[in-house]
C-alpha cells in the first residue's frame, strides 16, 4: 500500500461476468479482461489501485477442479506481501465450491479474498456485474484503523457479503443467487457499505499464510433418495481407491433403517474410510440419534457434518484426508470447525 491507497488484485478465472454479448450473433463471448477498465470506467473512481490478472484460458465454472483451486491460491500466495485485498471472479455455478475450498487451502489468511461473479454478462444492459464487481472491490479495500475489515474468504453477491464457506448457489434465475442459511451475512451494501462486525473472523496476524495444497481426489458425494437400493450403494462404496464419503441424508441426518444399509456403512468405516453425514436441507443440520432413523448411522461410526454445506464438506474432507491424520482422530478433526464453516 502506497500513500494509504490499498492495492487490489482482480483475478479473473472465467464465467459470465467476463463476457460480452455480440449483438449481431446474440452469442456470449469472453472479452480481454485486461480491458476491464474500459468496460467499467467507474473502476477508475474507486479509492484503490487495481491490478488484473486472468487465466490464460478462462473457464466456465463447470470445468472448475481442485487443480484450478490450487492455481488461484498460488496467485494469491505470490502477491500476498504487496497486495492488500484480492477479488476472485468465477462463474457462479460452482463458485461456492471454489470459494469454500479456498477458505480451507489458505491457512492463516489475514487479508480479504472476495469472490464474486454475475448472472448477466458485463456487456448486458441489465447486468448485475457492475455492482457486484465494484462493491466486491470496495469490500476488499475496506480498512479500519489501518487493518483490513475482512480477514477471511468472502463471497459478495447482490448487495450481500457472506462467509464463503457457508454459501450455496440457490437460483439460476434470480440476481440474488446465493444464500448462507446457517450463518448471518457479514455485510450489506445499501446507501452505505455496512459490516456486521460481530460475525467477522479475526485473524491472528502473528501467523503467516500457508497453503494446504494436498487435496485427496478419491472422495464421493452419495445423495440418498427414497428407493435407493443395495446394488447402487454397494457399487458406489466399493469402488477401488475410495478414501472418503459425504453422505447427503434426509432432514436432521436421517437414512433408511434397512439392515443392509447400515451393514454397508459399517463395512466401509471398518476399511478406515470416513463417512460424513450432511443434510440435504438448505438450512439446519445433522443431529444423529435424534430420530431412530439416524441411530444406526451413529452406531456405525458415521461422522456428523453438523450444519456444514455440502460444498464445504467436500473441500474439508479432501483437505483433512490430504493431511493423512490417523483414522481414529479423523472424527474429532472433522467435527471441529476449521474456518468457521460449521457450528
Ligand atoms: N455457466 C456460468 C459459470 O458458472 C454461469 C455464470 O458465470 O454465472 O461459469
Amino acid at each position: 500500500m502506497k500513500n494509504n491507497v490499498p492495492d487490489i488484485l482482480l483475478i479473473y478465472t472465467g464465467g459470465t461476468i467476463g463476457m460480452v454479448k455480440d449483438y449481431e450473433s446474440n452469442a456470449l463471448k469472453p472479452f480481454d479482461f485486461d480491458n476491464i477498465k474500459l468496460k467499467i470506467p467507474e473502476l477508475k473512481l474507486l479509492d484503490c489501485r487495481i491490478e488484473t490478472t486472468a487465466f490464460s484460458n478462462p473457464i466456465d465454472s463447470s470445468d472448475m477442479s481442485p487443480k484450478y483451486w490450487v492455481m488461484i491460491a498460488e496467485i494469491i500466495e505470490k502477491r500476498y506481501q504487496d497486495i492488500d485485498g484480492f477479488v476472485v471472479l468465477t462463474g457462479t455455478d460452482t463458485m461456492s465450491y471454489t470459494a469454500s475450498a479456498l477458505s480451507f487451502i489458505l491457512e492463516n489468511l489475514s487479508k480479504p479474498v472476495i469472490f464474486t461473479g454475475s448472472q448477466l454478462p458485463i456487456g448486458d444492459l441489465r447486468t448485475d456485474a457492475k455492482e457486484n464487481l465494484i462493491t466486491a472491490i470496495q469490500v476488499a479495500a475496506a480498512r479500519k484503523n489501518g487493518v483490513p475489515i475482512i480477514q477471511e474468504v468472502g463471497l459478495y453477491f447482490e448487495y450481500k457479503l457472506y462467509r464463503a464457506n457457508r454459501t450455496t448457489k440457490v437460483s439460476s434465475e434470480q440476481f440474488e443467487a446465493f444464500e448462507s442459511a446457517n450463518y448471518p451475512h457479514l455485510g450489506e451494501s445499501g446507501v452505505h457499505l455496512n459490516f456486521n462486525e460481530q460475525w467477522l473472523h479475526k485473524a491472528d496476524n502473528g501467523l503467516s499464510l500457508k497453503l494446504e495444497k494436498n487435496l485427496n481426489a478419491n472422495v464421493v458425494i452419495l445423495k440418498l433418495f427414497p428407493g435407493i437400493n443395495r446394488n447402487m450403494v454397494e457399487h458406489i462404496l466399493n469402488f477401488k481407491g475410495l478414501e472418503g464419503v459425504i453422505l447427503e441424508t434426509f432432514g436432521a441426518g436421517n437414512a433408511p433403517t434397512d439392515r443392509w444399509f447400515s451393514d454397508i456403512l459399517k463395512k466401509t468405516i471398518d476399511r478406515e474410510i470416513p463417512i460424513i453425514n450432511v443434510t440435504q436441507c438448505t438450512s439446519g443440520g445433522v443431529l444423529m440419534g435424534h430420530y431412530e432413523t439416524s441411530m444406526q448411522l451413529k452406531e456405525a461410526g458415521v461422522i456428523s457434518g453438523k450444519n456444514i454445506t455440502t460444498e464445504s464438506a467436500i473441500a474439508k474432507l479432501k483437505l483433512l484426508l490430504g493431511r493423512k491424520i490417523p483414522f481414529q482422530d479423523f472424527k474429532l478433526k472433522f467435527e471441529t470447525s476449521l474456518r468457521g464453516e460449521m457450528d
Side-chain angles (χ1 to χ4, degrees), residues 82-214:
D82 51 304
I83 289 291
D84 301 295
F86 299 85
V87 174
V88 186
L89 306 174
T90 76
T92 56
D93 291 349
T94 62
M95 190 187 292
S96 288
Y97 286 94
T98 305
S100 299
L102 262 291
S103 80
F104 292 109
I105 296 171
L106 300 168
E107 198 182 341
N108 303 331
L109 182 71
S110 59
K111 294 186 176 185
V113 172
I114 311 298
F115 278 76
T116 197
S118 65
Q119 294 283 53
L120 285 175
I122 227 157
D124 194 287
L125 282 178
R126 295 175 52 249
T127 190
D128 53 334
K130 273 193 186 183
E131 198 285 319
N132 285 345
L133 179 58
I134 288 170
T135 310
I137 294 172
Q138 287 185 314
V139 169
R143 302 174 79 82
K144 192 174 167 185
N145 304 326
V147 292
I149 294 180
I150 302 299
Q151 307 180 359
E152 59 183 298
V153 182
L155 189 154
Y156 179 80
F157 218 87
E158 192 64 5
Y159 303 106
K160 288 216 177 77
L161 173 69
Y162 307 99
R163 172 165 295 163
N165 59 30
R166 295 290 193 143
T167 63
T168 299
K169 183 173 179 183
V170 290
S171 177
S172 60
E173 165 66 22
Q174 307 291 326
F175 284 140
E176 201 167 345
F178 290 88
E179 207 173 274
S180 163
N182 284 333
Y183 197 75
H185 53 271
L186 305 180
E188 67 245 296
S189 165
V191 173
H192 298 104
L193 186 53
N194 289 317
F195 295 99
N196 299 325
E197 301 223 10
Q198 74 272 35
W199 302 112
L200 304 180
H201 168 71
K202 291 274 165 275
D204 180 343
N205 287 311
L207 303 170
S208 44
L209 180 77
K210 242 175 57 195
L211 262 49
E212 279 208 63
K213 303 191 236 184
N214 197 10

Side-chain angles (χ1 to χ4, degrees), residues 56 65 81 243 288 296 323:
S56 41
S65 69
Q81 293 315 321
E243 292 185 67
M288 279 192 290
Q296 79 286 15
R323 283 187 187 173

